[in-house]
Amino acid sequence: MNTPIRRLSVVIACLFTALLVASTIVQFTQAKSLNAMATNKRTLLDSYSRERGSIIAGGQAIAKSVPVEDQYRFLRTYSQGDLYAQLTGFYSYAVGAPYGLEHASDDLLSGDADTLFVRRVTDLITGRKTSGATIELTIDPKAQAAADKALGDNKGAVVALDPKTGAILAMVSHPTYDPNPLSSHDLSKAAKAWQTLSTDKDKAYLNRAISGVYPPGSTFKVVTAAAALENGVVTDENSSVPGPPELDLPLTKTPLPNENGRACGPNDKTTLIHALEISCNTAFGSLGLELGGEKLRAQAAKFGFGDSLQVPMRVATSSVPADLNAPQAAQSAIGQFEVRTTPLQMAMVAAGIANGGRVMTPYLIDSVRSANLDIIESTPDPVELSQAVSEQTASTLTKMMVSVVQNGSGARAKIDGVEVAGKTGTAQHDLDKPPHAWFISFAPATDPKIAVAVVVEDGGVKGSEVGGGRVAAPIARDVMEAVLNR
Amino acid sequence: MTTTVEPLTPRTRRGAELVLLLLAVGIVLLAWVTTDLNRNGTVPANIIPVAGGFMVLVLAVHLVLRWKAAYADPVLLPITTVLNGLGLVMIHRLDLARGKLGSDGDAYRQIIWTTLAVALAVGVLFLLRDHRLLRRYTYVTMAAGFVLLLMPLLPGLGRTINGSQIWISIGPLNFQPGEFAKIALAVFFAGYLVQTRDVLSLAGKKVLGFTFPRGRDLGPILVAWVLALLILVFQKDLGSALLFFGLFVAMLYVATERVSWIAIGLLLFAAAVAFALSAFTHFQKRVDLWLDPFSQDNLERSNQLANGLWGMASGGLTGTGLGAGRPYLTSFAESDFIFPALGEELGLFGAVAIIVLYLLFCERGIRTALGVRDGFGKLLAIGLSFSVAFQLFIVIGGVTRVIPLTGLTTPFMSLGGSSLLANWVIMALLLRISDQARRPMPEMPVGVAVDDPSPAEATQVVKLP
C-alpha cells in the first residue's frame, strides 16, 4: 500500500502548496491593492489612529485632531465650523474626506506625502508615532469673518486675493454647514449629517468660490475693455465708442439692447470710461463685434480662463467658448452667452489689473510644518501666472474702474479716504429668476492690498442692472475695509 | 538511489522531543508576552501559573510517551503544542480587544478544553496499547460515526449556527459531533477496507486502460456518497460533506491502488455539487461571495471573507505584531477566521510558518503510514493525516479564496471544545501507530544489507521517478 500512500502524499503536498501560494498572493502580491480599497475599514482606521495635522488660519487651528478615548483615538474638530467649512471640508469616518483641504491636502495632513518620507523613516527607526503635517493658510481671519458676515443669508461667494502675491485672503461660500457632526465618532450621527448635507437642495457642500461657475455679466466688460486697449481698437479711456440704445447684430434679427433702453451718450456715442461707469451694453457689444470672438477669448485666457488651477483644491475651469460668431462675440463681450467663470477667476481679473497687469497664481497654503513645528515647506515665492495686459493698459483700466466707484454704478463700494476700483455686474441666467449680482474690485487703487470678487446668486432685481451695485458692492467694501483698517 | 543505514536498535528520540517541546512552549510564551506588551504594556500577571500549567500539561504527555509509547514520533507533540498555544494566544488577544477578561474570556474556556483534550489524549495512549485493537470495533465505529454525523438532524438536539446545522446542544454545551465522526469513520474505513480491499481492487473490467469495479462493488462508495449528500442537503454543510467523502475516496484509493475509484469519486462529488448549486440558494450565494467578495452587494450580505483578506493584506510580509493589528474587525476571528487573524499579526512569514507546521504534522503522519507494518495501521494513519490536511485545505483555502468558504474548524487552533478534543485524539492515535512503526521488531534479523531498500522506506515520503 506504500505506492498509493506516496501518491496521496503528493496530492497533500499540492493542497499545501495551494495554501502557501494563496497566502502569498493575499499578503504580498495583492496586499497593496487590498489595502487601497475604499471599503477597507482597516486602512481607514489606520489613518484615523495617526494624529492628523492641524489646519491653521491666522495662528488659530480651524481643524484639529483632539485625542479621545475610543478606538479611533483622535476626534477631528473644527473650532469655527461654519466659517471655514468650505475651506477645510471634513474628515468623516462615515464618508471619508470628499471636500476641501481635508481632501486636497490629505497626504500632507495624514503624513503620507512624499515630502514627509524622510520623517516617516526616522519615525520608524526612533519608534515615534508618525503624525501628519500642519498646514498654515494665507487666510486673513478678519477678511474671512467680514466676508461671512456681509454675505449673510445670501447664497453666493466671496473671494479676496492679495494682488501682489496671489495669496487667498478670504474665501467664503454660502450656504455653509458645520463639519463637526460629520466627523463625529457616533457613526449614525455622522451618517445622518452626511445624508442631510449630500441631499441639500442648495448644495451647501459646494465651495461656490472655486466650484461654482456663473455667467460673469457686466464684470466681464473689464476683460473686453482690456482686449480693446491691448489690440489697439481704442487708445485710452477717453476714446470714443458707439453707444446706441440698441445694437444691431449681424446674422440675427434680435438686437442687443441697453437695460434702460436709452443711448449711452449724445449722438449715440460715448467714451470708453463712461461706458464702463454706466455699464453700457451696446458700447461693449460693439467692441466685441470689432474684436471678434478669438481676440476676446485670447484676452480672457491671459487672465486665466481655461486654466485648471489647484489652490490646492481643484478650481473649476472658467471658459469663453471657441468659434464664436459675430452676435455671440457681442453677447460674450458683455459677459453673457456661454461665458462661465468662477468667483476666484473674476478676483484674479481684478487682482491682475491691480498688479500692473500681472496675474499671480492663487494659493491657499502659506507654509507646511511638521508635528514638532519644523518647517517642511515655507511660504512659496509668488508665481506669475501671466502678464495679462501691459502696465499701460492696467493703469487705464484702473482709472476707469476707480471712476465706476466714484461716479458710476459701484458707488456703494466707496471707502472713506481710500481710492477703490471696481465693476458691477448683473448676470441673467434664468428668465424666471432674478439675475446674479456681481462685484469685482480692488483697493487702494494706487497701491493695491486686496482684490475682491463677490457673487450673490439671484441677488439682483429682475429686468434691472442695479443688482451688482446695490447688493454685491457693499459686501466687497466690507471685506476690503476689514483688510485695510487693521 | 541513496540508502540510509538504520541503526540496529532505533533510538526513541524522546530527548529530541523534549528539546522541541521546550522550544514550542517558549514560542507560545513569547507570543503571549508580546501580545500583552503590545496591548497593555505589561507582562501578563498570571504568567507563572498559566505558563507553568501549560508546561506541566505537555510535559505530562511527554512523560506518558516515555512510559507507554517510547518509540512514538518525536515531532507530533511539539507541533501540536505550538499550534494549540498560538491558537490560545490569538483567542486571548481577541478577548483583550473585546474586553472579555478572566473567566468571561473565550481563552479561559479554551484552556479548560485544552486540559481536557490533553487528558483525553493521555487516556487514549493508556487505554489503547496497540492500534490494531481498534480493528475489532470496525462496525461499532461505523454505527458511532453515522450516528454522530446525523445527530445534528435530530429534532430537539440539533442546532443551526451560522446557517449550518452541524451542532448539537446538550444542556449549556454546544458540540460539533462531526469532529468525532471524522475519527470514527477513519477507523471504520480502515477496518472495512483492509477486509475488502482484495475484492475491490482485483475484480472488474478494463476500459480505456482503467480497471473499473463491478457494479455490486460500487455499494460502499455509493453509501458514502449518499451520506455526504444527506449532510449537504440537510445540514447545509458543504465543508463536512467534502471532508467525509474526500476522506473515504482517498482511503479507498490507498486500499485498492486503483485510480478509477478517484475518478468515480470525483464524478459523484461533482454531480452532488452541481445538484446543490442548482437547488439551494445558500450555495449559490457562497460561490458568488467567493468569486467577488468585494462587490457592494456581497459586502452588505457578508463582509467576513473580505474582512479576513483585508486583515491578511494589512499584515503584509512581517505582520503588525501580536496585539497590534485589528483582527477583531473580522467576525469569527477566533474560529473559522483564526488563520487570517494570525496572518494579520504575524505576517506572511508567520502564516507560512503555520502552514508548514501543519505540513510537517501531516508528513509525520504519512511517514508513520509508510513505516507501520499492518494494513489497518497504514490505512488509519494515512486516513487521519489526510483528514487533517484536507480539513486544513478546506478552511484555509476558504479564507484565502482558493475555494468557496465553508465552515470548518482549523485543527488545534480554532475556539471550540469538540474540535480540540477530536484533534488531540487524532494526534494520540498517530503517536500510538508511530510507536508501532518505529519500534524494533523483536525477531528483526541482525545486520540488514545496505542496498536493501526496505529499511529506507521509513524515511522516504516521495519516491523520485
Side-chain angles (χ1 to χ4, degrees):
Chain A
M1 268 189 271
N2 281 0
T3 311
I5 289 177
R6 286 204 180 89
R7 289 202 187 124
L8 192 61
S9 70
V10 174
V11 173
I12 292 175
C14 289
L15 295 181
F16 275 98
T17 309
L19 298 183
L20 291 170
V21 169
S23 301
T24 309
I25 288 174
V26 174
Q27 298 203 258
F28 181 67
T29 320
Q30 294 181 345
K32 214 167 179 182
S33 63
L34 286 170
N35 284 333
M37 285 184 158
T39 36
N40 186 344
K41 207 173 162 186
R42 280 179 176 81
T43 308
L44 267 177
L45 281 172
D46 267 344
S47 46
Y48 262 77
S49 63
R50 221 187 262 175
E51 187 174 2
R52 202 170 165 81
S54 302
I55 303 176
I56 291 182
Q60 277 202 316
I62 55 173
K64 194 173 162 63
S65 285
V66 182
V68 285
E69 293 288 322
D70 63 17
Q71 63 162 329
Y72 307 118
R73 312 225 353 250
F74 291 99
L75 177 66
R76 196 71 169 160
T77 45
Y78 303 89
S79 58
Q80 301 170 72
D82 290 311
L83 180 56
Y84 288 106
Q86 309 289 2
L87 292 176
T88 56
F90 52 86
Y91 188 66
S92 166
Y93 188 68
V95 287
Y99 300 116
L101 286 163
E102 298 279 25
H103 173 74
S105 294
D106 183 53
D107 55 348
L108 283 173
L109 292 167
S110 66
D112 283 333
D114 291 341
T115 45
L116 301 175
F117 177 74
V118 177
R119 287 198 60 78
R120 281 201 301 278
V121 172
T122 52
D123 285 348
L124 189 70
I125 293 164
T126 58
R128 182 174 49 194
K129 283 253 185 250
T130 296
S131 50
T134 291
I135 292 178
E136 283 190 38
L137 303 186
T138 54
I139 293 292
D140 177 342
K142 279 194 229 157
Q144 181 81 4
D148 182 62
K149 187 163 169 250
L151 195 54
D153 291 335
N154 292 311
K155 275 188 284 176
V158 179
V159 183
L161 296 174
D162 182 336
K164 292 188 180 122
T165 61
I168 296 170
L169 301 176
M171 185 178 276
V172 168
S173 167
H174 280 185
T176 182
Y177 59 93
D178 184 3
N180 285 306
L182 288 150
S183 67
S184 167
H185 290 178
D186 178 345
L187 296 190
S188 66
K189 189 177 160 192
K192 217 174 137 198
W194 169 242
Q195 177 68 22
T196 312
L197 180 63
S198 59
T199 56
D200 182 26
K201 67 175 169 45
D202 286 332
K203 299 185 178 170
Y205 52 84
L206 198 69
N207 183 351
R208 290 167 155 78
I210 55 171
S211 303
V213 284
Y214 303 91
S218 304
T219 53
F220 195 73
K221 286 169 184 166
V222 176
V223 178
T224 307
L229 287 161
E230 288 284 287
N231 288 292
V233 174
V234 286
T235 50
D236 58 35
E237 71 272 23
N238 294 317
S239 297
S240 174
V241 289
E246 276 189 354
L247 182 64
D248 283 330
L249 298 179
L251 310 175
T252 173
K253 291 206 172 84
T254 321
L256 179 69
N258 282 331
E259 284 299 334
N260 55 15
R262 277 180 276 169
C264 301
N267 304 323
D268 288 353
K269 281 199 182 294
T270 183
T271 57
L272 185 62
I273 188 166
H274 186 61
L276 196 71
E277 278 168 16
I278 62 165
S279 200
C280 176
N281 282 350
T282 53
F284 286 96
S286 67
L287 286 177
L289 281 180
E290 215 168 321
L291 283 163
E294 274 321 294
K295 283 183 180 157
L296 206 57
R297 192 172 134 83
Q299 182 61 59
K302 285 188 181 173
F303 279 109
F305 280 72
D307 289 351
S308 47
L309 296 168
Q310 283 170 300
V311 292
M313 294 95 89
R314 189 172 293 281
V315 181
T317 307
S318 304
S319 61
V320 176
D323 302 326
L324 295 170
N325 64 22
Q328 289 167 346
Q331 291 279 354
S332 299
I334 62 165
Q336 294 290 345
F337 188 56
E338 280 169 8
V339 179
R340 293 288 179 273
T341 176
T342 58
L344 175 67
Q345 176 59 60
M346 286 320 289
M348 285 160 66
V349 170
I353 294 165
N355 194 35
R358 282 186 297 138
V359 180
M360 308 307 288
T361 307
Y363 64 94
L364 188 57
I365 295 180
D366 186 61
S367 62
V368 178
R369 289 167 187 276
S370 70
N372 53 359
L373 301 180
D374 295 340
I375 289 207
I376 294 165
E377 290 168 25
S378 53
T379 311
D381 288 330
V383 180
E384 187 180 306
L385 185 72
S386 68
Q387 180 82 40
V389 290
S390 66
E391 248 178 86
Q392 172 76 39
T393 303
S395 88
T396 305
L397 289 169
T398 304
K399 253 184 260 175
M400 289 161 56
M401 288 171 72
V402 168
S403 184
V404 168
V405 175
Q406 294 291 331
N407 316 312
S409 57
R412 284 170 200 254
K414 273 185 202 161
I415 301 171
D416 284 344
V418 181
E419 215 175 11
V420 178
K423 177 70 191 89
T424 57
T426 306
Q428 285 174 0
H429 60 104
D430 183 338
L431 290 178
D432 296 330
K433 283 186 184 168
H436 298 321
W438 274 96
F439 195 72
I440 62 170
S441 64
F442 58 89
T446 43
D447 178 23
K449 295 269 193 291
I450 177 170
V452 184
V454 176
V455 63
V456 179
E457 284 180 22
D458 309 336
V461 180
K462 251 196 229 180
S464 161
E465 250 297 323
V466 299
R470 187 180 295 170
V471 181
I475 298 172
R477 181 198 61 213
D478 286 358
V479 178
M480 290 187 288
E481 268 183 341
V483 171
L484 297 176
N485 291 349
R486 65 180 156 184
Chain B
M1 179 171 288
T2 55
T3 306
T4 49
V5 183
E6 287 259 296
L8 292 182
T9 40
R11 293 161 63 184
T12 63
R13 297 282 182 196
R14 293 269 75 79
E17 180 182 71
L18 184 59
V19 172
L20 287 175
L21 258 187
L22 292 176
L23 189 67
V25 173
I27 290 171
V28 173
L29 286 186
L30 198 65
W32 184 23
V33 171
T34 312
T35 304
D36 275 51
L37 280 179
N38 267 333
R39 295 288 309 175
N40 306 331
T42 53
V43 175
N46 54 353
I47 185 157
I48 292 175
V50 176
F54 192 63
M55 193 82 164
V56 167
L57 269 187
V58 293
L59 284 182
V61 185
H62 171 74
L63 291 176
V64 169
L65 285 179
R66 277 187 187 267
W67 179 21
K68 287 284 174 186
Y71 287 91
D73 189 286
V75 187
L76 287 169
L77 179 61
I79 290 178
T80 305
T81 306
V82 172
L83 292 174
N84 194 338
L86 286 180
L88 271 171
V89 168
M90 180 46 70
I91 291 166
H92 164 69
R93 184 252 173 279
L94 292 164
D95 278 348
L96 287 180
R98 289 166 185 160
K100 292 199 283 188
L101 299 171
S103 55
D104 286 345
D106 289 335
Y108 181 80
R109 281 193 294 141
Q110 186 78 345
I111 285 177
I112 292 176
W113 282 118
T114 304
T115 314
L116 292 176
V118 170
L120 190 60
V122 168
V124 169
L125 287 170
F126 259 102
L127 293 175
L128 189 70
R129 287 182 327 261
D130 188 326
H131 64 271
R132 280 168 292 194
L133 292 173
L134 285 175
R135 223 184 132 176
R136 291 185 198 158
Y137 304 107
T138 300
Y139 290 95
V140 177
T141 54
M142 174 192 78
F146 285 6
V147 167
L148 284 169
L149 261 189
L150 301 178
M151 239 168 157
L153 295 177
L154 290 179
L157 202 58
R159 285 210 11 195
T160 303
I161 298 181
N162 310 323
S164 288
Q165 195 171 350
I166 52 172
W167 296 77
I168 56 166
S169 286
I170 305 170
L173 290 177
N174 290 327
F175 231 67
Q176 265 183 304
E179 295 284 348
F180 292 99
K182 189 171 63 183
I183 304 173
L185 290 180
V187 173
F188 160 59
F189 292 158
Y192 168 77
L193 289 171
V194 94
Q195 272 173 23
T196 51
R197 54 186 291 242
D198 291 344
V199 179
L200 292 174
S201 59
L202 294 179
K205 284 186 211 133
K206 210 159 183 168
V207 182
L208 296 169
F210 286 105
T211 314
F212 276 91
R214 295 175 301 179
R216 62 186 125 150
D217 295 330
L218 284 172
I221 196 169
L222 285 177
V223 169
W225 183 65
V226 168
L227 199 65
L229 260 186
L230 284 177
I231 301 169
L232 201 63
V233 173
F234 292 105
Q235 305 187 353
K236 296 198 181 108
D237 188 20
L238 187 63
S240 302
L242 187 58
L243 178 60
F244 296 127
F245 195 64
L247 176 62
F248 180 73
V249 172
M251 290 179 73
L252 191 57
Y253 165 68
V254 171
T256 61
E257 309 195 12
R258 270 164 58 166
V259 183
S260 56
W261 285 119
I262 294 182
I264 293 168
L266 285 177
L267 274 177
L268 285 172
F269 198 77
V273 168
F275 161 71
L277 272 179
S278 62
F280 301 105
T281 52
H282 178 76
F283 294 117
Q284 290 160 9
K285 280 180 195 159
R286 290 254 164 139
V287 170
D288 194 31
L289 263 176
W290 170 54
L291 293 174
D292 189 6
F294 302 110
S295 77
Q296 195 58 42
D297 285 355
N298 282 339
L299 279 179
E300 273 165 28
R301 194 178 300 140
S302 161
N303 62 8
Q304 54 174 346
L305 180 56
N307 257 325
L309 291 168
W310 285 330
M312 289 179 73
S314 77
L317 286 180
T318 54
T320 58
L322 279 165
R326 297 191 180 84
Y328 50 83
L329 291 179
T330 313
S331 37
F332 304 109
E334 68 287 336
S335 54
D336 293 13
F337 281 80
I338 200 161
F339 179 75
L342 286 159
E344 175 172 358
E345 300 210 318
L346 296 176
L348 179 61
F349 297 146
V352 166
I354 288 168
I355 294 175
V356 169
L357 282 174
Y358 280 110
L359 178 61
L360 282 176
F361 184 94
C362 296
E363 186 263 347
R364 299 314 288 199
I366 295 165
R367 186 176 282 231
T368 298
L370 288 172
V372 78
R373 296 165 191 96
D374 67 300
F376 175 76
K378 278 184 189 298
L379 276 173
L380 186 55
I382 189 69
L384 294 173
S385 309
F386 182 78
S387 78
V388 171
F390 200 44
Q391 177 163 354
L392 197 78
F393 175 74
I394 292 170
V395 61
I396 298 188
V399 296
T400 53
R401 273 182 84 200
V402 179
I403 55 170
L405 180 65
T406 57
L408 278 183
T409 59
T410 315
F412 302 113
M413 289 191 147
S414 286
L415 175 69
S418 23
S419 163
L420 211 48
L421 292 177
N423 284 302
W424 274 86
V425 169
I426 288 178
M427 188 209 62
L429 289 175
L430 285 176
L431 283 173
R432 174 51 74 207
I433 304 171
S434 67
D435 179 51
Q436 292 288 330
R438 296 177 74 243
R439 188 178 290 277
M441 277 189 293
E443 68 275 26
M444 198 171 92
V446 178
V448 182
V450 167
D451 51 359
D452 177 1
S454 58
E457 297 225 322
T459 57
Q460 277 179 271
V461 178
V462 182
K463 225 183 214 168
L464 292 171

